[in-house]
Amino acid sequence: MSVLVTGGAGYIGSHVVRLLQQRGTGVVVVDDLSNGRPERVGDAPVVQLDLATDAAVPTLTAAIAEHGVEAVIHFAARKQVGQSVAEPARYWSQNVGGTANLLLAMEAGKVDKLVFSSSAATYGAPTTPLVREDGPAEPINPYGQTKLVGEWMTRAAGRAWGLRAANLRYFNVAGAGWDDLGDTAVMNLIPIVFSALDAQQAPAVFGDDYPTPDGSCVRDYVHVLDLAQAHLAALDHLATDDRPHDTFNVGSGTGASVLEVLAEVRAVTGVDVEPVVHARRAGDPPQLVADVERITTTLGWRATKDLHDIVTSAWSAWRR
């Protein structure tokens, strides 16, 4: 079996690529290398490609045929909430257009298994302490909207030509499974804080007046290696005939506030982390924490690492 991994040279994708390689699965990576690094994927062939371009469908179709691809894991997308609010058309073009091109190539190449990188941003601003997959999906920013549309597209392809898909709604991903695969993009909270510490600047907290215990946003943080293992579990699930669900939360089931994360960074690094509070960012919900019963029951997956593991591994990779 050979698996095509879009965005496979990036932070999350490279963890999945390494796990696939460790279990002896052939891998081909498709990545535009805007954030990805080819040295992350070992000896896996890399096709440099922007999925949203006109060249995407024929190039992907050729790669599928050349490498005998039987399944796809789709990470490639723009993912910054604030940027999506400022540049919505770009996000629709990249995320929705890129997914459409991928599905066209999969249909042409007769590849019927897809693990799709979705997001907890599809839930918007839920009012429940834990969010379930069968609850309302009402995204409040263009990024979340594009991910929800991606889920619709996988279901439509299933009805039209038999695609088997698993949509994984990620919560906040952090940490590192190996020091050489740390998050270097400085787009997520923990690397942003580390970058501020390196520059001897105070990290920013966007909003301290949310309806949460300490006023800062609460998120569910999941270790990237746990998340990568969830993709392998989902891939194996697609080979079975009994697939009662196509959408799964991937989180720890436990929330931590921004200020609690900063306290853990202080404990791990020994560096005094006193933030500067700024106004809220557009499109940020107060709280997002996963109900993980479905993925545990159906795929047998559960997060094994906590916030301390996440920050410790992220700091080790960052120092490297």
Side-chain angles (χ1 to χ4, degrees):
M1 179 182 184
S2 181
V3 178
L4 187 150
V5 183
T6 74
Y11 169 50
I12 302 171
S14 61
H15 281 82
V16 172
V17 167
R18 185 164 295 182
L19 289 182
L20 288 168
Q21 291 169 326
Q22 287 181 348
R23 73 176 190 177
T25 301
V27 182
V28 55
V29 170
V30 173
D31 199 301
D32 69 1
L33 300 182
S34 58
N35 290 311
R37 297 180 177 182
E39 62 269 22
R40 288 174 171 261
V41 301
D43 60 359
V46 177
V47 178
Q48 187 171 355
L49 178 68
D50 182 343
L51 295 186
T53 62
D54 292 340
V57 175
T59 303
L60 288 167
T61 304
I64 286 169
E66 178 183 353
H67 297 280
V69 171
E70 298 178 25
V72 174
I73 302 177
H74 179 33
F75 294 103
R78 303 290 175 187
K79 66 170 193 173
Q80 292 180 267
V81 168
Q83 186 182 60
S84 80
V85 174
E87 304 175 38
R90 181 185 183 198
Y91 271 65
W92 284 86
S93 173
Q94 289 284 313
N95 293 1
V96 176
T99 300
N101 284 338
L102 176 64
L103 291 173
L104 286 168
M106 291 178 67
E107 182 180 8
K110 302 186 186 310
V111 179
D112 67 351
K113 300 179 186 68
L114 173 66
V115 180
F116 173 60
S117 168
S118 188
S119 171
T122 57
Y123 292 114
T127 58
T128 55
L130 298 177
V131 290
R132 296 172 52 92
E133 296 89 343
D134 55 4
E138 299 172 340
I140 59 174
N141 53 65
Y143 167 65
Q145 291 163 357
T146 63
K147 287 298 184 179
L148 185 58
V149 170
E151 294 182 13
W152 295 348
M153 294 166 74
T154 67
R155 293 192 188 105
R159 292 188 293 269
W161 53 270
L163 177 70
R164 295 176 171 221
N167 304 305
L168 301 186
R169 291 178 175 171
Y170 305 172
F171 284 67
N172 283 49
V173 187
W178 297 270
D179 279 354
D180 62 323
L181 299 186
D183 188 358
T184 60
V186 194
M187 295 180 186
N188 299 316
L189 174 62
I190 290 174
I192 287 172
V193 173
F194 291 165
S195 180
L197 296 183
D198 282 354
Q200 297 184 325
Q201 297 174 349
V205 172
F206 293 96
D208 63 352
D209 57 350
Y210 286 98
T212 60
D214 63 19
S216 64
C217 287
V218 171
R219 296 291 183 267
D220 185 328
Y221 291 88
V222 58
H223 195 290
V224 65
L225 193 56
D226 280 334
L227 176 70
Q229 294 285 5
H231 285 78
L232 270 61
L235 191 64
D236 294 340
H237 175 68
L238 296 180
T240 67
D241 291 329
D242 182 20
R243 301 185 313 280
H245 305 290
D246 68 357
T247 302
F248 302 93
N249 286 338
V250 188
S252 68
T254 302
S257 73
V258 172
L259 293 178
E260 287 173 330
V261 173
L262 292 180
E264 188 62 45
V265 169
R266 184 184 297 112
V268 168
T269 66
V271 179
D272 190 22
V273 182
E274 290 299 330
V276 174
V277 177
H278 298 269
R280 297 183 185 188
R281 291 181 301 188
D284 272 348
Q287 175 169 316
L288 272 176
V289 181
D291 183 314
V292 295
E293 179 182 359
R294 176 181 289 183
I295 193 170
T296 300
T297 301
T298 308
L299 304 187
W301 176 91
R302 182 180 290 278
T304 62
K305 303 180 188 302
D306 60 16
L307 183 62
H308 178 74
D309 299 322
I310 289 170
V311 175
T312 300
S313 64
W315 181 238
S316 177
W318 184 267
R319 287 185 297 173
R320 179 183 184 278

